[in-house]
Amino acid sequence: MFQKIIRACVRIVQRYLPEPFIFAIILTLIAAILAMPICQQNPIEVIEHWGDGVWGLLAFSMQMALVLVCGSTLAAAPVVKKGIGRLASLPKTPAGAIALVTAVSAVACWINWGFGLIVGVIFAKEIARKLKGVDYRLLIASAYSGFVVWHAGLSGSIPLTMATSGDALTNATNGILTEPVAISRTILDPHNIVMILLVIVALVVVNALMHPKGDNVVSVDPELLYEAENKYIKIENPTPAERMENSRILSWIVALIGFGYLVVKLGFRGGSLDLNTVIMLFLFTGVILHGTPLAYVRAFTKAASGAAGIILQFPFYAGIMGIITGVGESGICFGTVISDACISISTPQTYPLLTFLCAAVLNMFVPSGGGHWAIQAPIMFAAGANLGVDPGLTGIAIAWGDAWTNLIQPFWAIPALAIAKLNAKDIMGFCIIDLIVSGIIICGGLLLWAW
């Protein structure tokens, strides 16, 4: 019965899910059409809101691209790849391989979403090379499923933004948060840690059980997964420029400068582990592990192609955010309508759950932590304060909602799919099952946390 449900999900997705860029266009049209009657806006107002929003997230887009590319480049470091190769030799059965890929990806995504997303896919490809009879689609879906813990992890943009002091925090929350919220109240809160562990364990079990039987397995020729690797070639009589390009000393100098800054910021200036800090940490670790400046540049250039989908689609999702946050002559904002609907039926016990569900719906239109922050922070933190809900719980509820529906929103799967050479429709059928299972755990966890 379970296998029949899975096959039905896969068939439906294969038939109806378009390419991610087309998906973004369709969501743009849906948001525009709904905004007119709900917000009493005319077409000109909606178009203006869209156009004004298109370039509204350029800085955040750059941060997201750097998180992805720096994480990908670190994953491509020889010592990391060697470790992945050894780990890929451990599973002896398809179900064991699926379980291991899920666990590794989820833990890595909790550490850093860009690093985890790419490491998971590279690990899945390595297993597909070594183990016969494993379903390649499910391998990649399992690697992507770990992405659901991203926003509740160390690189979650919303908790890290809340942990960053400054006027921006106060202004974004309409004066509700005047002091930063430590990650001990969000990412590292015991309630959140337990939820993460339960979600990871559930995904490991469910993904392993989803492995197709017999002729339903879709495997891949291992030879198709091998790629040419850059090998170091010793240069005879190198020029001064070539000596600098291949100098390990220069790599260590720039890395020590970067790490020195992080030590001063975090250890002596009371800084927090914000998004920029995470980017710097992975950037300079990658510089050291690749050995020479030229090796890092080559790996970085190769990884940058994975960010193409983000660069193309982010302006469109920023435009959707413009529609959802835009206020016309009616004075009604689409995002406010959605958030107010959540608030109107909330109690102190149900508020985190309803905040999570509200964020999950918004994530389908704006798959960005920064976008959610801009839309929900001014409203949800004020409502949470009125109900007596801890701001850390409000923030983590938004973060979980932002991550949860990524399982069926193909936007963030683009880099992984590019590496795996698959389409979104190949993996999203499996991800629907993961969405249901993880959703039950998250909803239950948030209710218990608020009780």
Side-chain angles (χ1 to χ4, degrees):
M1 183 65 180
F2 186 50
Q3 288 293 328
K4 289 182 179 179
I5 294 173
I6 295 167
R7 288 196 294 271
C9 290
V10 170
R11 285 196 299 269
I12 291 170
V13 170
Q14 285 277 353
R15 185 173 179 84
Y16 294 106
L17 182 67
E19 201 275 343
F21 181 53
I22 306 301
F23 192 72
I25 294 174
I26 293 172
L27 288 176
T28 301
L29 296 175
I30 292 173
I33 292 170
L34 290 177
M36 286 185 278
I38 292 175
C39 302
Q40 300 172 27
Q41 296 175 7
N42 61 53
I44 299 300
E45 286 180 312
V46 173
I47 291 174
E48 286 181 333
H49 293 153
W50 177 84
D52 292 340
V54 163
W55 309 118
L57 292 176
L58 283 180
F60 188 71
S61 301
M62 186 62 175
Q63 287 178 313
M64 291 295 99
L66 282 174
V67 167
L68 172 64
V69 177
C70 290
S72 302
T73 306
L74 177 58
V79 64
V80 177
K81 293 181 70 174
K82 184 178 293 185
I84 291 173
R86 291 177 178 174
L87 198 60
S89 300
L90 294 178
K92 304 303 179 184
T93 64
I98 296 299
L100 186 59
V101 165
T102 304
V104 168
S105 173
V107 172
C109 283
W110 183 82
I111 296 172
N112 175 268
W113 72 266
F115 177 67
L117 182 61
I118 305 308
V119 162
V121 177
I122 293 174
F123 184 41
K125 288 183 66 175
E126 191 66 27
I127 286 181
R129 292 172 185 158
K130 296 177 179 291
L131 185 65
K132 293 183 179 179
V134 63
D135 191 286
Y136 186 58
R137 304 165 304 166
L138 182 56
L139 266 178
I140 303 304
S142 299
Y144 183 62
S145 68
F147 200 59
V148 74
V149 303
W150 158 30
H151 272 295
L154 295 179
S155 63
S157 56
I158 290 173
L160 293 181
T161 300
M162 293 171 62
T164 305
S165 60
D167 292 338
L169 178 64
T170 302
N171 294 335
T173 59
N174 280 340
I176 299 300
L177 297 182
T178 57
E179 297 293 334
V181 179
I183 61 172
S184 61
R185 294 167 60 187
T186 54
I187 297 170
L188 300 181
D189 187 282
H191 297 89
N192 189 53
I193 297 297
V194 170
M195 287 169 61
I196 288 170
L197 290 175
L198 289 175
V199 167
I200 292 175
V201 171
L203 290 178
V204 167
V205 174
V206 170
N207 286 344
L209 291 175
M210 279 198 289
H211 196 274
K213 309 294 183 183
D215 294 339
N216 293 313
V217 174
V218 177
S219 57
V220 63
D221 183 353
E223 295 299 322
L224 299 177
L225 300 178
Y226 284 95
E227 298 178 0
E229 298 183 358
N230 294 325
K231 295 183 178 181
Y232 176 77
I233 300 176
K234 186 176 181 180
I235 302 174
E236 299 293 338
N237 301 317
T239 64
E242 290 170 334
R243 288 194 182 95
M244 288 187 286
E245 291 170 349
N246 293 280
S247 171
R248 293 182 179 271
I249 295 175
L250 284 179
S251 290
W252 276 97
I253 289 174
V254 70
L256 287 175
I257 292 172
F259 285 127
Y261 167 77
L262 292 177
V263 169
V264 171
K265 177 184 176 181
L266 299 177
F268 299 98
R269 304 299 185 195
S272 59
L273 189 66
D274 57 19
L275 190 57
N276 291 334
T277 303
V278 171
I279 292 171
M280 291 185 70
L281 180 63
F282 282 87
L283 168 64
F284 294 116
T285 302
V287 168
I288 289 178
L289 293 183
H290 278 279
T292 69
L294 184 59
Y296 188 79
V297 168
R298 288 173 175 168
F300 191 95
T301 301
K302 186 175 181 180
S305 63
I310 295 174
I311 295 170
L312 170 63
Q313 294 185 41
F314 227 99
F316 285 87
Y317 283 104
I320 296 173
M321 193 182 80
I323 295 173
I324 292 176
T325 59
V327 179
E329 292 184 4
S330 65
I332 302 174
C333 169
F334 197 173
T336 302
V337 170
I338 297 174
S339 297
D340 285 345
C342 165
I343 294 168
S344 66
I345 58 174
S346 295
T347 66
Q349 289 72 37
T350 62
Y351 183 72
L353 172 61
L354 293 172
T355 298
F356 159 74
L357 295 175
C358 177
V361 173
L362 282 172
N363 185 61
M364 294 301 296
F365 294 91
V366 187
S368 154
H372 279 253
W373 182 255
I375 294 169
Q376 294 193 281
I379 305 166
M380 306 310 287
F381 284 98
N386 291 333
L387 290 170
V389 178
D390 183 88
L393 178 52
T394 299
I396 206 68
I398 297 172
W400 271 110
D402 189 16
W404 182 50
T405 43
N406 280 334
L407 287 171
I408 55 171
Q409 219 298 0
F411 177 70
W412 293 110
I414 295 170
L417 294 170
I419 294 173
K421 297 180 174 60
L422 292 178
N423 296 316
K425 62 182 67 177
D426 294 320
I427 69 169
M428 286 297 166
F430 300 106
C431 290
I432 290 175
I433 306 297
D434 290 330
L435 179 86
I436 296 170
V437 172
S438 59
I440 293 171
I441 295 171
I442 298 167
C443 289
L446 290 173
L447 282 173
L448 291 174
W449 190 343
W451 201 258

